């Protein structure tokens, strides 16, 4: 019985340490894929949309690739979908149509992307 208590105590301690450790941040420009129904994390922007059976069904694009912007130096310019607001310190400098950013079931050729610049 003492051995079981020791194993349980060690397991609980390891779980508690795992839960309290901060999560690692992606490197600037690092990307990850998620379902479109998931909110884009702080410091990230959407950079691509598509349809995936893994995120449901239908005609609306339901999957997205997001890119980490935290850590880029001031003056950096890059492109992002207009489906999320730019993070703090980034401003849109132009708008344009980008085929990777069709996040609507009825895409148009309207402006759906931004060129963003890091200003602070």
């Amino acid at each position: 019985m003492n051995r079981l208590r020791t194993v349980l105590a060690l397991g609980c301690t390891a779980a508690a340490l795992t839960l309290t450790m901060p999560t690692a941040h992606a490197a600037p420009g690092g990307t990850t894929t998620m379902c479109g129904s998931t909110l884009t994390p702080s410091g990230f922007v959407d950079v691509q949309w598509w349809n995936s059976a893994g995120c449901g069904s239908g005609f609306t694009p339901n999957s997205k690739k997001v890119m980490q912007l935290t850590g880029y130096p001031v003056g950096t310019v890059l492109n992002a979908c207009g489906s999320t607001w730019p993070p703090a310190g980034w401003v849109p400098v132009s708008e344009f149509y980008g085929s990777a950013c069709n996040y609507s079931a009825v895409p148009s050729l309207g402006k759906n992307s931004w060129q963003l610049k890091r200003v602070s």
Side-chain angles (χ1 to χ4, degrees):
M1 191 65 160
N2 284 338
R3 183 175 180 186
L4 177 60
R5 285 183 189 160
T6 302
V7 169
L8 287 174
L10 289 174
C12 289
T13 301
L17 288 173
T18 301
L19 291 175
T20 58
M21 289 186 162
T23 57
H25 293 286
T31 62
T32 190
T33 300
M34 60 183 55
C35 291
S37 59
T38 304
L39 291 176
T40 301
S42 177
F44 285 75
V45 291
D46 301 346
V47 292
Q48 184 180 11
W49 282 84
W50 68 93
N51 222 340
S52 168
C55 291
S57 62
F59 296 106
T60 304
N62 60 7
S63 299
K64 62 185 174 181
K65 181 186 288 187
V66 298
M67 182 172 68
Q68 169 74 279
L69 297 188
T70 305
Y72 274 111
V74 171
T76 299
V77 177
L78 50 79
N79 297 332
C81 297
S83 51
T84 55
W85 291 105
W90 291 84
V91 296
V93 293
S94 67
E95 293 180 276
F96 61 95
Y97 168 79
S99 62
C101 293
N102 284 327
Y103 49 89
S104 171
V106 185
S108 70
L109 295 178
K111 297 174 182 176
N112 63 358
S113 302
W114 288 325
Q115 185 176 55
L116 301 175
K117 183 175 184 178
R118 177 82 190 257
V119 293
S120 64

